Amino acid sequence: MCVCKMRPYTCLSSLILLITFLFTCVNSEDPYRFFTWKVTYGDIYPLGIKQQGILINGQFPGPQIDAVTNDNLIISVYNYLNEPLLISWNGIQHRRNSWQDGMSGTTCPIPPRKNFTYTLQVKDQIGTFFYFPSLGMQKGAGGFGGIRIWSRPRIPVPFPPPSGDFTILAGDWFKLDHRRLRRVLENGHNLPFPDGLLINGRGWNGNTFTIDQGKTYRFRISNVGLTTSINFRIQDHKLKLVEVEGSHTLQNYYSSLDIHVGQSYSVLVTADQPVKDYYVVVSSRFTRKILTTTSILHYSNSRVGVSGPVPGGPTLDIASSVFQARTIRRNLTASGPRPNPQGSYKYGLINPTRTIMLANSAPYINGKQRYAVNSVSHVEPDTPLKLADYFNIPGVFYVGSIPTNPTGGNAYLQTSVMGANFHEFVEIVFQNWEDSVQSWHIDGYSFFVVGFGSGQWTPQSRSGYNLRDTVARCTTQVYPKSWTAIYMALDNVGMWNIRSENWARQYLGQQLYLRVYTPSNSWRDEYPVPKNALLCGRASGRRTRPF
Ligand SMILES: *[C@@H]1O[C@H](CO)[C@@H](O)[C@H](O)[C@H]1NC(C)=O
Ligand SMILES: *[C@@H]1O[C@H](CO)[C@@H](O)[C@H](O)[C@H]1NC(C)=O
C-alpha cells in the first residue's frame, strides 16, 4: 500500500502504483462489454397523447444491460439533448469508484452535444437493477432501462434455469413534460397526482409476455416511477419470490407484491393454469384514487383473450404491506455472487460502532415547499462534491453540514454532507413522522434491513430486529409514522448519495451525501479520478491526471 501525501506524480512509487492499478482495476480476467448510447429526444405516446421522451438508441425504455458478475461495462454516452445529462445506476456499487455514480454530487454532467464514457465494474454483484437519468426530473421523460447481472457459470443459482427472463419496468407517469414538472417543484409546489401507470413504457394492454404452458419464467420487476408505490400481480398465478436487489430470498409464494419507488424484485411464475390469456397488473398503492394498468400474459397456444375483471390488489391498507415486508428474508444456504452461501456473512453478530438517525420532513422554506433530512434541505453545490474534495477546493461543502440525528430545529437550506470512516459498521434508522410511505436508497452499498416498526424508534426497538436472515438490498421503504432500521458495513470509500427515491422529494432536498473517508490515499481503497473525468464549476480547467 502506498501512502502518498504529496501530489501523486511527485511520489516515487507512483509508477509502481500505476502498474498495480492497471492490474487491479483493469483486471484482464474480467471481461469487458462495450455499449454506445445515443441519447435523444423523440416522440412517445405512452398514454395515447404525444409526449417528448428521452430515448436511448431510439428506444423507450432504453436498452437492457446484461452483465455477468465482475464484468467491466464500458458505456459511451452521447448526449444529443439540448441540456446536460447524467446517467445513474441504481444498485450498482461502483466499488472504490464513486466517480462513476452519475449523481450531481459526484460527477459533472455531460454537456449537450458532448460524450462521456462510464467505466463500471459490477464487482461481486448479481441481481436486478436499473439505470436512469438523474438530473432534474428527466427520469419523468424516460431514459431508464433494466440491468440484469447474471451469476458466473459455475456459481449455483438456487432455482432451475427459467424458460424465459422478462423485465418489467413499471411506475407512475405524468403528462407534463419533465421541464414543467421541474418548474412546478421550483415554484415551491408539489407534483400533481400522476396521470397513469406504465409497464415498459406502455399503458393498458400495451405489452404481451408469451409463455409456454407448464414452463416457469422469471419476471424482474422494478419500480422506475417518480413518486408512487405500486402493487404487482398476475391474474390466477402465484409469484414465487427468488431475488431482491441482489439477495436470493426464501422462495415464498405471494399473490401480489408491493414495490416501492426504486425497488426491484424477481419472481418465478409457472404457467400452470388453463390455456388462455391473463392480466399482468400494476396498481398504485397508498393512493386514494387508484391507478391501474395491465399487460398480457399470453399462453403460446392460447386463442382466448384476457377475460374477467382485472384482479384487485391492496390499496390503502398498510398493515398487510408491513407484514409482507417482514416475510422477505434471505435464503441462508443459497449462493450470491460467490460460491459460499450468502448467509455466511453474520451481520447480526457485529456490534454497530454508532447509530445514525435520518428523519424526513416536508418544511416550507422561504414560502416554498421543500423536503429535508434532520432539518437540512440539500441544495446542489456549484461543483460536484467529489471533485471539490479531490482538488481541495474550499467553500463548496463542509463535512458535518448535516447532523447525525434529528435536532427538531427549523429546516434550512444547505449542501448536506455527513462524514464517516472507512470500515465503520453503522446502524441507520430512518425515522418517518410524515403520513406518506418513504423510499430510501443508498448508492455504493447493499445494506441489511434489520427492522420495521411503528412510532418512534428507541434503543428498545432493537429487540425486534431480524439479526439472522434479512435481505441485503439498496432501497428500503419506511411506513407512515414508522421507522426502518438498517445495518451497513462502510467498506466502500467514496462520496455516496443517500436519497429519497421519490424524485420530487429528492429534487427538493430530501437527500445527503455520505463521505466515506480513509486517510490512506491508496488506490487499493479508492481509484483516482478517471482521466476522462468531466470538469465543471470551480473544478474547471484543473489537471486530473499527471501521467
Ligand atoms: C467524445 O468526447 C471527447 C472529448 O471529451 C472527444 O475527444 C471525442 O472525439 C468524442 N468522441 C466522438 C466520437 O465524438
Ligand atoms: C435455498 O437455497 C438452497 C440452495 O440452492 C435450495 O436448495 C433451497 O430450496 C432454498 N430454500 C428456500 C426455502 O428457498
Side-chain angles (χ1 to χ4, degrees), residues 146-414:
I147 302 176
R148 297 188 287 200
I149 310 177
W150 303 80
S151 294
R152 284 173 290 170
R154 277 177 296 280
I155 310 290
V157 173
F159 46 87
S163 301
D165 194 299
F166 298 111
T167 291
I168 293 194
L169 303 172
D172 57 9
W173 190 262
F174 296 78
K175 288 182 181 167
L176 279 184
D177 174 70
H178 73 90
R179 298 179 203 82
R180 289 186 55 200
L181 291 174
R182 194 177 67 211
R183 219 168 303 137
V184 168
L185 297 173
E186 273 167 4
N187 289 339
H189 305 291
N190 227 320
L191 292 187
F193 191 69
D195 296 296
L197 297 181
L198 300 184
I199 294 176
N200 292 348
R202 289 160 185 249
W204 208 258
N205 292 345
N207 295 271
T208 300
F209 302 99
T210 301
I211 60 175
D212 293 334
Q213 198 186 27
K215 294 187 177 167
T216 297
Y217 297 83
R218 182 172 184 169
F219 286 81
R220 301 171 185 254
I221 314 115
S222 296
N223 184 338
V224 296
L226 292 181
T227 62
T228 315
S229 297
I230 58 174
N231 180 266
F232 175 83
R233 54 199 181 269
I234 301 181
Q235 187 180 25
D236 296 342
H237 288 73
K238 292 182 305 251
L239 312 174
K240 188 192 215 183
L241 185 68
V242 292
E243 180 252 340
V244 173
E245 295 160 20
S247 291
H248 284 133
T249 61
L250 290 186
Q251 295 175 6
N252 300 324
Y253 286 98
Y254 296 90
S255 55
S256 77
L257 271 179
D258 285 341
I259 305 178
H260 306 279
V261 183
Q263 294 185 330
S264 300
Y265 287 85
S266 288
V267 296
L268 297 181
V269 177
T270 298
D272 56 3
Q273 294 299 305
V275 171
K276 68 179 208 68
D277 290 356
Y278 296 87
Y279 285 116
V280 175
V281 190
V282 291
S283 59
S284 59
R285 199 68 170 89
F286 319 117
T287 57
R288 233 161 270 288
K289 182 181 165 202
I290 309 298
L291 299 169
T292 303
T293 205
T294 59
S295 287
I296 293 167
L297 185 72
H298 171 67
Y299 278 52
S300 55
N301 48 349
S302 152
R303 300 227 163 70
V304 186
V306 283
S307 59
V310 171
T315 56
L316 288 172
D317 171 52
I318 285 171
S320 65
S321 190
V322 180
F323 179 81
Q324 179 174 85
R326 290 192 175 125
T327 65
I328 295 175
R329 287 153 51 199
R330 178 189 282 248
N331 181 339
L332 295 179
T333 55
S335 311
R338 294 168 176 279
N340 56 310
Q342 39 186 182
S344 64
Y345 181 66
K346 296 209 167 32
Y347 67 93
L349 299 181
I350 306 171
N351 278 332
T353 44
R354 63 180 169 131
T355 301
I356 295 167
M357 183 179 280
L358 302 176
N360 51 283
S361 59
Y364 280 81
I365 301 179
N366 304 329
K368 290 183 171 180
Q369 176 74 67
R370 295 288 302 185
Y371 294 95
V373 188
N374 293 355
S375 301
V376 183
S377 185
H378 175 78
V379 287
E380 289 298 331
D382 61 13
T383 307
L385 307 168
K386 187 73 202 136
L387 290 172
D389 217 2
Y390 177 78
F391 291 118
N392 279 317
I393 303 170
V396 177
F397 71 93
Y398 66 96
V399 177
S401 51
I402 173 172
T404 55
N405 278 280
T407 59
N410 285 341
Y412 53 97
L413 302 171
Q414 175 80 270

Side-chain angles (χ1 to χ4, degrees), residues 445-501:
Y445 287 93
S446 181
F447 49 75
F448 296 93
V449 184
V450 293
F452 297 95
S454 60
Q456 169 74 50
W457 180 92
T458 68
Q460 285 71 47
S461 307
R462 292 185 179 123
S463 62
Y465 281 4
N466 177 351
L467 295 179
R468 189 175 163 270
D469 64 352
T470 190
V471 286
R473 64 186 311 174
C474 56
T475 308
T476 187
Q477 71 273 30
V478 189
Y479 292 98
K481 300 204 158 45
S482 297
W483 53 265
T484 298
I486 66 169
Y487 279 5
M488 189 162 88
L490 300 185
D491 55 3
N492 198 9
V493 173
M495 186 71 82
W496 300 108
N497 190 230
I498 300 183
R499 60 172 175 268
S500 171
E501 288 281 73

Side-chain angles (χ1 to χ4, degrees), residues 26-32 70 72:
V26 188
N27 188 337
S28 54
E29 283 178 6
D30 296 324
Y32 282 75
N70 291 353
N72 294 291

Side-chain angles (χ1 to χ4, degrees), residues 39-42 44 50-55 60 79-86 133-144 173-186 191-192 195 226 503-504 507:
V39 182
T40 58
Y41 280 123
I44 55 173
K50 185 162 95 174
Q51 286 183 259
Q52 189 187 54
I54 294 179
L55 315 183
F60 166 67
N79 179 12
Y80 289 102
L81 308 181
N82 56 6
E83 53 188 69
L85 174 72
L86 263 182
S134 67
L135 292 181
M137 298 303 280
Q138 285 178 350
K139 192 184 181 200
F144 47 73
W173 190 262
F174 296 78
K175 288 182 181 167
L176 279 184
D177 174 70
H178 73 90
R179 298 179 203 82
R180 289 186 55 200
L181 291 174
R182 194 177 67 211
R183 219 168 303 137
V184 168
L185 297 173
E186 273 167 4
L191 292 187
D195 296 296
L226 292 181
W503 220 247
Y507 187 72

